[in-house]
Amino acid sequence: MGSQGDNFFEGAGFDWESYIVHRPAPDAQFYQLIYDHHRTNGGEFNLAHDIGTGPGNIAEQVGKAFKRVHASEPSAYHTSVAEHRLKAIDPDKFTTQQCGGEDISTAGHKSGSVDLITVAQCIPLMKVDQAISGFAKLLKPNGTVAIWFYGRPAFADPSQQRSQLIINQILSKAWDRVRPMKGTGFEAAKIMLCAFLDNVAFPEKDWKQVRRVKWNHDKPMMFLEDDDVDFEIKWDSKVRKDESEEKIIDRDFWAIDADVAWMRGFVDYALPWENKDEERAQFDGLFRELELSMGGKEKKQRVTWPVALLLATKK
């Protein structure tokens, strides 16, 4: 596990392959939904740009549909990881660059040159209005931006209410290391999650065919309970009247049949800072409780996810 800092995932000790294993993964149908929107609105499949690429796992998948994929990432270490992984797949298809998502339109790319921009699991950490404006400059007319975020793991079986309470407690305790949050970037990020990204605006002068899809919106997106934060949770909805909104309850969406070891891996790699001995002992006790609640060490329970997907077409 890495150490706590401005970026939890920084450092050569972080195991990116285990990170990928212990994440929910968008399935083929999810990508197809994005591509169908893109195609229907006149988009081409030449160049995609994956923002905040991390280890390049999303760029890898997008590369199956696009001729070329550029992957950018603000961290130098992450960029080197992505470059190593993606070049091993296809050195001619993939390129990488160290750059923040908000700055990508001024980082040497030609305006109106990109067909699709993907932004997975990182929009809450950006200066959102600046980022959306930059995406509009980078995209071709009829190009698409696809932004998504998944939230707190949710046990699909109602009989696993005890397990849900325990994993909520574990996640809350894991966030103790970054309190207080008020006045930090975490405050804005968590408010965005509570809003299911509804406070992300797509100005009408730049964007058309805006579509917001929410799966399992009856489950909380934020990894903390409302009472666990030290700031007021409120936001202004930026949803325009002409935008499409869809809400879907599907407990099989991105579902994972997880045992307690997978759940621990999810927490470890979602919030990978080192714990002191006393904290580690507390986590060990909570995970033992979770193991019993889930039915034993080898028992698997279905876990689903609240997910928000934003699709918008460049005018």
PDB file of all heavy atoms in Angstrom, residues 176-191:
ATOM      1  N   ASP A 176     -10.911   8.692   8.023  1.00  0.00           N
ATOM      2  CA  ASP A 176     -10.492   9.486   9.182  1.00  0.00           C
ATOM      3  C   ASP A 176      -9.152  10.172   8.956  1.00  0.00           C
ATOM      4  O   ASP A 176      -8.888  11.240   9.507  1.00  0.00           O
ATOM      5  CB  ASP A 176     -10.390   8.594  10.434  1.00  0.00           C
ATOM      6  CG  ASP A 176     -11.749   8.308  11.049  1.00  0.00           C
ATOM      7  OD1 ASP A 176     -12.741   8.960  10.653  1.00  0.00           O
ATOM      8  OD2 ASP A 176     -11.831   7.417  11.918  1.00  0.00           O
ATOM      9  N   ARG A 177      -8.304   9.551   8.134  1.00  0.00           N
ATOM     10  CA  ARG A 177      -6.952  10.072   7.953  1.00  0.00           C
ATOM     11  C   ARG A 177      -6.911  11.393   7.191  1.00  0.00           C
ATOM     12  O   ARG A 177      -5.876  12.064   7.177  1.00  0.00           O
ATOM     13  CB  ARG A 177      -6.090   9.035   7.219  1.00  0.00           C
ATOM     14  CG  ARG A 177      -5.901   7.724   7.970  1.00  0.00           C
ATOM     15  CD  ARG A 177      -5.124   7.909   9.270  1.00  0.00           C
ATOM     16  NE  ARG A 177      -3.770   8.381   9.056  1.00  0.00           N
ATOM     17  CZ  ARG A 177      -2.743   7.603   8.758  1.00  0.00           C
ATOM     18  NH1 ARG A 177      -2.908   6.288   8.638  1.00  0.00           N
ATOM     19  NH2 ARG A 177      -1.536   8.112   8.597  1.00  0.00           N
ATOM     20  N   VAL A 178      -8.011  11.779   6.543  1.00  0.00           N
ATOM     21  CA  VAL A 178      -8.002  13.043   5.786  1.00  0.00           C
ATOM     22  C   VAL A 178      -8.971  14.071   6.370  1.00  0.00           C
ATOM     23  O   VAL A 178      -9.314  15.041   5.705  1.00  0.00           O
ATOM     24  CB  VAL A 178      -8.315  12.813   4.290  1.00  0.00           C
ATOM     25  CG1 VAL A 178      -7.219  12.022   3.641  1.00  0.00           C
ATOM     26  CG2 VAL A 178      -9.659  12.134   4.105  1.00  0.00           C
ATOM     27  N   ARG A 179      -9.432  13.840   7.571  1.00  0.00           N
ATOM     28  CA  ARG A 179     -10.248  14.863   8.229  1.00  0.00           C
ATOM     29  C   ARG A 179      -9.328  15.918   8.847  1.00  0.00           C
ATOM     30  O   ARG A 179      -8.220  15.589   9.266  1.00  0.00           O
ATOM     31  CB  ARG A 179     -11.125  14.208   9.299  1.00  0.00           C
ATOM     32  CG  ARG A 179     -12.050  13.116   8.753  1.00  0.00           C
ATOM     33  CD  ARG A 179     -12.875  12.507   9.878  1.00  0.00           C
ATOM     34  NE  ARG A 179     -13.464  11.256   9.502  1.00  0.00           N
ATOM     35  CZ  ARG A 179     -14.622  11.139   8.815  1.00  0.00           C
ATOM     36  NH1 ARG A 179     -15.285  12.220   8.467  1.00  0.00           N
ATOM     37  NH2 ARG A 179     -15.101   9.947   8.520  1.00  0.00           N
ATOM     38  N   PRO A 180      -9.789  17.180   8.938  1.00  0.00           N
ATOM     39  CA  PRO A 180     -11.074  17.711   8.479  1.00  0.00           C
ATOM     40  C   PRO A 180     -11.112  17.887   6.961  1.00  0.00           C
ATOM     41  O   PRO A 180     -10.079  18.091   6.329  1.00  0.00           O
ATOM     42  CB  PRO A 180     -11.165  19.058   9.196  1.00  0.00           C
ATOM     43  CG  PRO A 180      -9.746  19.485   9.363  1.00  0.00           C
ATOM     44  CD  PRO A 180      -8.964  18.228   9.600  1.00  0.00           C
ATOM     45  N   MET A 181     -12.315  17.815   6.393  1.00  0.00           N
ATOM     46  CA  MET A 181     -12.483  17.933   4.948  1.00  0.00           C
ATOM     47  C   MET A 181     -13.005  19.307   4.533  1.00  0.00           C
ATOM     48  O   MET A 181     -12.842  19.695   3.382  1.00  0.00           O
ATOM     49  CB  MET A 181     -13.443  16.863   4.441  1.00  0.00           C
ATOM     50  CG  MET A 181     -12.985  15.442   4.697  1.00  0.00           C
ATOM     51  SD  MET A 181     -14.165  14.258   4.031  1.00  0.00           S
ATOM     52  CE  MET A 181     -13.574  12.744   4.793  1.00  0.00           C
ATOM     53  N   LYS A 182     -13.671  20.004   5.447  1.00  0.00           N
ATOM     54  CA  LYS A 182     -14.267  21.284   5.099  1.00  0.00           C
ATOM     55  C   LYS A 182     -13.203  22.238   4.553  1.00  0.00           C
ATOM     56  O   LYS A 182     -12.126  22.392   5.128  1.00  0.00           O
ATOM     57  CB  LYS A 182     -14.932  21.908   6.330  1.00  0.00           C
ATOM     58  CG  LYS A 182     -15.683  23.207   6.038  1.00  0.00           C
ATOM     59  CD  LYS A 182     -16.409  23.711   7.264  1.00  0.00           C
ATOM     60  CE  LYS A 182     -17.105  25.033   6.999  1.00  0.00           C
ATOM     61  NZ  LYS A 182     -18.108  24.922   5.926  1.00  0.00           N
ATOM     62  N   GLY A 183     -13.521  22.849   3.424  1.00  0.00           N
ATOM     63  CA  GLY A 183     -12.602  23.794   2.819  1.00  0.00           C
ATOM     64  C   GLY A 183     -11.533  23.171   1.955  1.00  0.00           C
ATOM     65  O   GLY A 183     -10.710  23.881   1.375  1.00  0.00           O
ATOM     66  N   THR A 184     -11.528  21.834   1.818  1.00  0.00           N
ATOM     67  CA  THR A 184     -10.547  21.139   0.978  1.00  0.00           C
ATOM     68  C   THR A 184     -11.212  20.666  -0.308  1.00  0.00           C
ATOM     69  O   THR A 184     -12.429  20.753  -0.481  1.00  0.00           O
ATOM     70  CB  THR A 184      -9.950  19.925   1.718  1.00  0.00           C
ATOM     71  OG1 THR A 184     -10.950  18.883   1.798  1.00  0.00           O
ATOM     72  CG2 THR A 184      -9.504  20.301   3.127  1.00  0.00           C
ATOM     73  N   GLY A 185     -10.398  20.105  -1.209  1.00  0.00           N
ATOM     74  CA  GLY A 185     -10.952  19.547  -2.438  1.00  0.00           C
ATOM     75  C   GLY A 185     -11.898  18.397  -2.191  1.00  0.00           C
ATOM     76  O   GLY A 185     -12.789  18.121  -3.006  1.00  0.00           O
ATOM     77  N   PHE A 186     -11.739  17.722  -1.056  1.00  0.00           N
ATOM     78  CA  PHE A 186     -12.633  16.608  -0.737  1.00  0.00           C
ATOM     79  C   PHE A 186     -14.063  17.088  -0.510  1.00  0.00           C
ATOM     80  O   PHE A 186     -15.016  16.363  -0.779  1.00  0.00           O
ATOM     81  CB  PHE A 186     -12.138  15.860   0.498  1.00  0.00           C
ATOM     82  CG  PHE A 186     -10.893  15.059   0.268  1.00  0.00           C
ATOM     83  CD1 PHE A 186      -9.752  15.307   1.004  1.00  0.00           C
ATOM     84  CD2 PHE A 186     -10.857  14.049  -0.686  1.00  0.00           C
ATOM     85  CE1 PHE A 186      -8.590  14.570   0.787  1.00  0.00           C
ATOM     86  CE2 PHE A 186      -9.710  13.304  -0.911  1.00  0.00           C
ATOM     87  CZ  PHE A 186      -8.573  13.575  -0.162  1.00  0.00           C
ATOM     88  N   GLU A 187     -14.220  18.306   0.006  1.00  0.00           N
ATOM     89  CA  GLU A 187     -15.573  18.828   0.237  1.00  0.00           C
ATOM     90  C   GLU A 187     -16.336  18.940  -1.080  1.00  0.00           C
ATOM     91  O   GLU A 187     -17.450  18.432  -1.224  1.00  0.00           O
ATOM     92  CB  GLU A 187     -15.515  20.186   0.931  1.00  0.00           C
ATOM     93  CG  GLU A 187     -16.891  20.790   1.164  1.00  0.00           C
ATOM     94  CD  GLU A 187     -16.850  22.132   1.879  1.00  0.00           C
ATOM     95  OE1 GLU A 187     -15.739  22.598   2.232  1.00  0.00           O
ATOM     96  OE2 GLU A 187     -17.934  22.718   2.079  1.00  0.00           O
ATOM     97  N   ALA A 188     -15.732  19.591  -2.061  1.00  0.00           N
ATOM     98  CA  ALA A 188     -16.389  19.755  -3.356  1.00  0.00           C
ATOM     99  C   ALA A 188     -16.622  18.405  -4.033  1.00  0.00           C
ATOM    100  O   ALA A 188     -17.671  18.180  -4.646  1.00  0.00           O
ATOM    101  CB  ALA A 188     -15.550  20.654  -4.259  1.00  0.00           C
ATOM    102  N   ALA A 189     -15.642  17.494  -3.897  1.00  0.00           N
ATOM    103  CA  ALA A 189     -15.770  16.183  -4.530  1.00  0.00           C
ATOM    104  C   ALA A 189     -16.936  15.410  -3.942  1.00  0.00           C
ATOM    105  O   ALA A 189     -17.730  14.791  -4.671  1.00  0.00           O
ATOM    106  CB  ALA A 189     -14.473  15.399  -4.365  1.00  0.00           C
ATOM    107  N   LYS A 190     -17.074  15.429  -2.647  1.00  0.00           N
ATOM    108  CA  LYS A 190     -18.117  14.627  -2.012  1.00  0.00           C
ATOM    109  C   LYS A 190     -19.495  15.221  -2.231  1.00  0.00           C
ATOM    110  O   LYS A 190     -20.484  14.493  -2.346  1.00  0.00           O
ATOM    111  CB  LYS A 190     -17.793  14.437  -0.529  1.00  0.00           C
ATOM    112  CG  LYS A 190     -16.549  13.571  -0.374  1.00  0.00           C
ATOM    113  CD  LYS A 190     -16.273  13.115   1.029  1.00  0.00           C
ATOM    114  CE  LYS A 190     -15.031  12.217   1.035  1.00  0.00           C
ATOM    115  NZ  LYS A 190     -15.136  11.081   0.123  1.00  0.00           N
ATOM    116  N   ILE A 191     -19.578  16.543  -2.314  1.00  0.00           N
ATOM    117  CA  ILE A 191     -20.857  17.154  -2.661  1.00  0.00           C
ATOM    118  C   ILE A 191     -21.265  16.746  -4.074  1.00  0.00           C
ATOM    119  O   ILE A 191     -22.433  16.450  -4.335  1.00  0.00           O
ATOM    120  CB  ILE A 191     -20.769  18.682  -2.521  1.00  0.00           C
ATOM    121  CG1 ILE A 191     -20.721  19.059  -1.032  1.00  0.00           C
ATOM    122  CG2 ILE A 191     -21.940  19.363  -3.219  1.00  0.00           C
ATOM    123  CD1 ILE A 191     -20.501  20.524  -0.780  1.00  0.00           C
TER     124      ILE A 191
END
